[in-house]
C-alpha cells in the first residue's frame, strides 16, 4: 500500500469484545476474579436485572452470569459484552493492542461506538420509553459525564505518538463538546456526520419513522450540519454505510431512482465540505434489495425491528416493507 502512496485504516472496536474472547471466558470461569473486572459484572436487584436499559439491538442490556446473582452489561448484542474502561489494567491492554497495529504501519482507525465507553456505575433506571418497560440505553449515555478523559488518555497513549488518522463514530455528543472532539487539539482527526441518517427516526422503532426525506429536508440537514461544524474542524460525510440502507434507495424518492438521480446525489455529496467516505457498492450506485422473505434476513437490527413492528400491530407484509426500507 505504501509503495502506491496508499494508506490503510481499520475498524477499531473497544467498547466491547466478543463473548468468545479469552478475557470473557476467564471472567465467566471466575466471576469474582481479575478478569470479571474487565467487564461490568453487577448484582441484580430483587432477582431482576440491575436496571431497565434496552440495548441498541433490542431487549435488555443485561444478561445473567451463569451460577451467580450477577449480570453482565452489553449495550449491543449479548455476544458483545462491554469492556470496563474504569479498570486501568484493561485500558493498558487496549492501548497495547492499538499500538501493535500502529507499529505495523497502519495509518489509523475508524473508531466504533466510542461515546459508549463511559458508564454511570450506579446504573440508574429511568422512566420506560416503550411498552416493554425498558428505556433506551442512550438515556444513560446522554446523562453521564466524563468520557473526554478516557478519549484523551487513549489519544496520548496511542494515536498521538504515531500521528495516526482517526475518524470517530459519535452519537449523542453534547452540543458544547464539538471542539473537544475534532478541534485543533481534539480527541480525533474527524468524526462522521449522521444528520441525514438520524433525521425522522422515531424512538418507537423503524415502523414509526419518516420513510423518506424530501429534497428540502435533505438540504436542511446538510446546511445545518455544515454550519454547526463551521471552522471548528473537519467533518466526515456519509451517504450510506454498514448500518444504513443504500443511499440511492433511501434519499431518492421512489420511482425516481435512475442513473441521472444517482449521479446528482453523488455530485451533491462530493461538493460538500468535509471528507467523503464511500461504502462498498456505493461507487456503482447499488440499490436496496427490496422486500425479501423474513427467513432470508440475517441482520440483528432488522429481525428486532420486524418483531417491534408486529408488536405495534403491523401485518407481516407491512413489517417486511418497513425493514426493506431501513435495513
Amino acid at each position: 500500500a505504501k509503495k502506491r502512496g496508499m494508506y490503510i485504516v481499520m475498524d477499531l472496536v473497544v467498547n466491547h469484545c466478543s463473548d468468545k474472547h479469552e478475557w470473557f471466558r476467564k471472567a465467566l470461569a471466575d466471576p469474582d476474579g481479575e478478569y470479571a473486572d474487565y467487564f461490568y459484572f453487577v448484582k441484580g436487584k430483587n432477582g431482576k436485572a440491575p436496571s431497565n436499559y434496552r440495548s441498541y439491538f433490542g431487549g435488555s442490556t443485561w444478561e445473567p452470569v451463569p451460577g451467580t446473582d450477577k449480570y453482565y452489561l452489553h449495550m449491543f448484542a449479548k455476544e458483545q459484552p462491554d469492556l470496563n474502561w474504569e479498570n486501568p489494567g484493561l485500558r493498558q491492554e487496549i492501548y497495547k493492542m492499538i499500538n501493535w497495529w500502529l507499529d505495523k504501519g497502519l495509518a489509523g482507525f475508524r473508531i466504533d461506538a466510542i461515546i459508549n465507553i463511559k458508564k454511570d456505575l450506579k446504573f440508574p433506571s429511568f422512566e420506560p420509553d416503550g411498552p416493554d418497560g425498558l428505556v433506551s440505553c442512550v438515556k444513560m449515555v446522554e446523562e453521564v459525564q466524563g468520557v473526554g478523559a478516557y478519549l484523551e488518555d487513549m489519544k496520548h497513549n496511542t494515536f498521538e505518538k504515531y500521528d495516526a488518522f482517526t475518524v470517530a463514530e459519535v452519537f449523542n455528543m453534547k452540543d458544547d463538546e464539538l471542539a473537544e472532539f475534532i478541534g485543533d487539539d481534539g480527541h480525533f482527526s474527524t468524526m462522521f456526520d449522521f444528520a441525514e441518517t438520524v433525521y425522522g427516526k422515531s424512538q418507537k422503532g423503524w415502523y414509526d419513522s419518516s420513510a423518506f426525506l424530501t429534497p428540502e429536508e435533505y438540504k436542511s440537514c446538510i446546511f445545518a450540519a455544515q454550519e454547526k461544524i463551521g471552522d471548528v474542524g473537519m467533518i466526515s460525510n456519509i451517504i450510506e454505510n454498514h448500518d444504513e440502507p443504500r443511499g440511492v434507495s433511501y434519499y431518492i424518492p421512489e420511482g425516481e431512482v435512475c442513473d441521472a438521480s444517482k449521479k446528482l446525489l453523488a455530485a451533491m455529496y462530493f461538493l460538500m465540505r468535509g471528507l467523503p467516505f464511500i461504502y462498498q457498492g456505493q461507487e456503482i450506485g447499488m440499490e436496496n434489495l427490496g422486500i425479501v422473505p423474513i427467513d432470508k434476513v440475517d441482520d440483528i437490527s432488522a429481525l428486532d425491528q420486524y418483531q417491534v413492528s408486529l408488536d405495534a400491530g403491523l401485518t407481516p407484509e407491512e413489517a417486511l416493507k418497513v425493514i426493506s426500507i431501513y435495513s
Side-chain angles (χ1 to χ4, degrees):
K2 285 190 174 179
K3 275 196 300 186
R4 291 160 174 77
M6 297 170 67
Y7 299 87
I8 294 176
V9 172
M10 190 177 78
D11 195 23
L12 179 68
V13 185
V14 289
N15 173 72
H16 47 268
C17 70
S18 166
D19 64 350
K20 305 295 190 294
H21 195 289
E22 63 173 333
W23 293 346
F24 191 67
R25 291 191 167 189
K26 287 178 178 178
L28 290 181
D30 184 3
D32 297 308
E34 173 191 357
Y35 285 95
D37 198 39
Y38 275 35
F39 304 92
Y40 297 96
F41 279 26
V42 180
K43 284 191 175 183
K45 292 181 180 176
N46 303 317
K48 297 181 180 177
S51 61
N52 66 335
Y53 306 150
R54 182 189 309 109
S55 82
Y56 287 110
F57 296 146
S60 175
T61 60
W62 297 102
E63 196 71 15
V65 176
T68 75
D69 59 354
K70 295 179 179 180
Y71 293 73
Y72 72 85
L73 180 72
H74 58 91
M75 304 278 272
F76 293 87
K78 66 181 181 180
E79 295 86 4
Q80 297 171 308
D82 280 46
L83 293 166
N84 178 12
W85 273 70
E86 301 283 337
N87 183 337
L90 177 277
R91 294 201 302 273
Q92 290 305 314
E93 287 290 331
I94 289 174
Y95 302 159
K96 189 164 69 175
M97 177 270 291
I98 292 171
N99 290 332
W100 185 86
W101 283 106
L102 293 171
D103 283 335
K104 285 187 173 295
L106 200 73
F109 298 95
R110 173 262 184 196
I111 304 175
D112 181 77
I114 196 62
I115 201 90
N116 294 282
I117 63 174
K118 181 65 178 176
K119 314 297 200 282
D120 182 341
L121 298 183
K122 296 188 179 75
F123 298 111
S125 288
F126 296 98
E127 188 71 26
D129 62 10
D132 56 5
L134 303 176
V135 61
S136 171
C137 59
V138 169
K139 178 70 174 171
M140 186 263 286
V141 174
E142 290 176 340
E143 294 287 328
V144 76
Q145 303 286 334
V147 69
Y150 289 151
L151 301 181
E152 278 297 285
D153 193 50
M154 177 167 58
K155 181 181 83 170
H156 293 320
N157 280 279
T158 59
F159 316 133
E160 195 173 62
K161 296 177 179 179
Y162 298 81
D163 193 27
F165 168 81
T166 52
V167 54
E169 181 193 33
V170 177
F171 290 95
N172 313 112
M173 184 186 69
K174 297 170 177 62
D175 288 338
D176 60 352
E177 291 179 330
L178 188 60
E180 292 178 38
F181 275 75
I182 59 168
D184 288 342
D185 192 31
H187 308 314
F188 308 107
S189 310
T190 179
M191 57 187 270
F192 291 113
D193 168 38
F194 294 109
E196 299 84 25
T197 62
V198 302
Y199 187 91
K201 294 295 198 303
S202 168
Q203 280 197 334
K204 293 181 181 178
W206 292 354
Y207 76 91
D208 191 51
S209 299
S210 303
F212 300 101
L213 277 71
T214 66
E216 194 59 37
E217 288 169 336
Y218 191 73
K219 173 185 164 184
S220 69
C221 279
I222 292 172
F223 275 51
Q226 300 260 308
E227 288 169 357
K228 178 181 175 182
I229 298 301
D231 294 322
V232 172
M234 171 71 80
I235 197 70
S236 288
N237 301 314
I238 64 163
I239 287 180
E240 63 196 52
N241 66 17
H242 62 289
D243 288 320
E244 302 296 335
R246 291 292 181 185
V248 295
S249 298
Y250 188 68
Y251 295 119
I252 300 172
E254 281 188 288
E256 295 182 23
V257 178
C258 61
D259 281 355
S261 60
K262 289 178 180 182
K263 290 176 181 179
L264 172 63
L265 184 64
M268 288 169 53
Y269 178 63
F270 279 107
L271 289 170
M272 287 163 59
R273 185 166 62 165
L275 188 62
F277 274 72
I278 308 299
Y279 180 64
Q280 53 192 9
Q282 181 181 337
E283 77 284 358
I284 55 172
M286 285 183 73
E287 301 171 23
N288 278 358
L289 282 172
I291 295 174
V292 297
I294 194 64
D295 62 351
K296 300 291 185 187
V297 176
D298 185 20
D299 170 54
I300 192 169
S301 292
L303 292 172
D304 170 62
Q305 289 299 315
Y306 177 75
Q307 188 59 50
V308 167
S309 299
L310 294 179
D311 293 344
L314 275 68
T315 66
E317 291 75 18
E318 292 168 334
L320 280 178
K321 173 67 173 174
V322 166
I323 65 171
S324 77
I325 293 170
Y326 293 105
S327 175

